[in-house]
Amino acid sequence: MRTQLTHHDADVLVIGGGLAGCWAAITAAQGGARVIVAEKGRCGTSGVAAAAGPGHWWVPPDPGRREEAIARRLAAAQGLGDAAWMARIVDRTFRTLPDIASHYQYVPDDDGRIRHHALRGPEYLRALREKALAAGAIVLDHSPALELLRHADGGIAGARGVSRQGAGGDWVVRAGATILATGGCGFRSHLLGGANNTGDGLLMAVEAGAVLSGMEFSAFFTVVPADTTMARTMIYSFARYYDEHGRLLDRPQGPHDNAFLAEALTHGPVFCDLSATPEDVRRQLPQISPNVTLAFRRLGIDPFQDRFPVSLVGEGTIRGVGGVRVADADAGAGVEGLFVAGDVASREPVTGAVSGGGAVNAAWALSSGCIAAEAALARVRRHGRRADTPADGTGGAGLAHPHGTTDAAEIERAVQAEMLSPMKQYFRTDATLSAARDRLDAGWTALPHAGLAPTPHARARRRELAALTATARWSTASALARRDSLGLHRRADAIAATTPPAHVIAGGVDTIWTDLVPAGEQA
Amino acid sequence: MIELVIASRCTGCTACVTACPRDVFDPVPDGPPRIARQADCQTCFLCELYCREDALYVHPDAGRARPQDAAAIEASGLLGEYRRASGWDEWAGNEALRNQHWRMEDVFRRARDA
Ligand SMILES: Cc1cc2nc3c(=O)[nH]c(=O)nc-3n(C[C@H](O)[C@H](O)[C@H](O)COP(=O)(O)OP(=O)(O)OC[C@H]3O[C@@H](n4cnc5c(N)ncnc54)[C@H](O)[C@@H]3O)c2cc1C
């Protein structure tokens, strides 16, 4: 089959046009670079921020306030945080986020003040897209990247992918610097806005020689009305939960807020009661989070009168933590010409062993995007685009498309059976993890035999399957390597050893390796 | 998942085709777009925000198709709720629909202190 090839040249290629990718594109384009954003879905509606409402970590530079805020987060990070990175993102977010007012209509609060850090997702991402375009960035929508390209000397030279719409076909972007901003990996759960976040960037980065860190911090589940995607948490802060006999479920304090729900759900349906929600909050909810109320209305549920069934939706590394290990203060991936921004990167420097959802992740996405863009720009100024020197693909798994015999959906289900099981992920033991590792290895071995058509959709999907499986394998291997409990990673079989804080790093594609690196040591 | 493209409302502008982050729709010459890959829908509801005619209906069930009756949905008043409640397009400037997202942190704080 002949596929049409479209060739582009750029100074900076940004892969992924969500929160981090858009800020990277804006910054690089405003700095004078020719910027191309390749987005799997639609820049402006894709990614997990677009359907949510990200609050950003926001601390004004008043005397002592930032030091105090950072000290608190450092303590929560349980030895894995980095005060310098925290200071960097607090400062960057405070200086840069208000710029979005050129395209986002802030609405003052009851005191007439603008709260710059709180933005509604659909409006925010629409504004980011428009701001990136206004700055001169070129956006390729519906154009998933499949693999990175590399010069003979090891520097990253851009990427190659497919277009899902229009005439379809393949694209190549040659660029002097490449920023990965493909988000975290939710293992294709029903997480709101998460279906495109399949770990593609993790796979591309590792194939190019990057190292992952914190992949064991991938046990994170959120309450949703049963069978829905609506993982917006605010209203559940008033929740009480009941079993099918109407017995109130006891909510023990612990590192996994929802572990008691996971256990209860193994016995039968669990019902949520929101009757403790104050009257004014009930009235305001449609204008705080419109999608929350609309989901209830369409299900015929009055959430403040009726007890409704809930389920748990897995988030993997999204409101978990792990990803590509940031190698330096420039958000470099430890590979020449490659940078990382947002959830594709490990957020351990800014959040440690606990989730960065709620404020830190968005501040990290914005700041790492801006910092990566500036570093990318500086690199292009030093080395040029190098557009005419040859470059080869770095990708392997899932890129060929034979007519295989294995059902691709079956491999995906096997991955999900491990990674989206709250019980398996909340209560990890050496035995459960070893069994998961073996099943995932079997999935990986079956991958080259998974038959999918050579259409752009199917080719992207096959590569996603490779990324999902690889990400599950890195998470499982990392969870095996950390033998005690820390933060989001709980080992039900932990011997209460208090080892000095260390990062679990991981890599390898066919053969996976892990290692422990004492916290505070440079990569 | 996406269930309906209501033909009587659709102008064929194809805004949904481009807006959908999962590429669920296929354009159809001189007609409403077709839901070509329903199982790919991620139930984010965002297509509805980009449909000025309120011709789209997404059912909250993300796991399986829930076929809907177009006439019943028309009559239900549920069409266009996301755009309206968000104060988009012609609803902008409507005081009652003002974006109050900024309250979120206050609500969290109240729940914590309760
Ligand atoms: C329900 C919910 C609520 C949240 N609320 C908050 C909050 O209040 N505060 C906070 O700090 N954080 C919050 N978060 C986390 C926050 O949204 C993320 O940290 C942030 O969106 C990360 O930005 P990102 O650009 O890295 O990833 P995303 O915004 O997910 O964007 C990644 C993009 O990459 C694209 N992509 C993936 N693969 C490819 C490929 N192969 N080629 C091209 N493009 C690709 C995707 O389509 C997507 O558009 C929340 C998350 C969820 C799920």
Side-chain angles (χ1 to χ4, degrees), chain A residues 14-22 37-57 117 119 125 140 143-147 164 171 180-184 191-201 204 222 229-233 315 318-319 341-345 347 356-366 368 463-464, chain B residues 21 101 104 108:
Chain A
V14 182
I15 304 178
L19 192 43
C22 283
V37 180
E39 163 56 51
K40 181 189 285 186
R42 161 84 173 181
C43 172
T45 60
S46 196
V48 290
H56 297 60
W57 196 9
H117 55 290
L119 297 95
L125 268 291
L140 310 178
S143 300
L146 296 182
E147 65 172 330
R164 303 198 294 206
W171 56 260
L180 277 173
T182 48
L191 173 65
L192 186 66
N196 284 337
N197 294 14
T198 46
D200 307 4
M204 288 190 268
T222 305
T229 55
M230 207 44 73
R232 314 278 322 260
T233 52
E315 302 211 15
I318 292 172
R319 276 188 279 191
D343 288 354
V344 74
R347 284 134 286 158
V360 173
N361 278 353
W364 165 263
L366 177 159
S368 57
R463 185 67 167 156
E464 289 177 340
Chain B
H101 179 82
M104 189 175 279
F108 270 116

Side-chain angles (χ1 to χ4, degrees), chain A residues 85 88 178-179 326-334 338-341 364 367-379 382:
Chain A
W85 259 116
R88 224 171 271 143
T178 300
I179 300 172
V326 173
D328 52 39
D330 282 344
L338 187 65
F339 301 86
V340 282
W364 165 263
S367 305
S368 57
C370 296
I371 290 166
E374 283 162 358
L377 201 53
R379 180 183 169 82
R382 271 196 319 273

Side-chain angles (χ1 to χ4, degrees), chain A residues 170-190:
Chain A
D170 289 33
W171 56 260
V172 164
V173 176
R174 289 294 306 269
T178 300
I179 300 172
L180 277 173
T182 48
C185 177
F187 300 106
R188 198 105 71 191
S189 71
H190 289 149

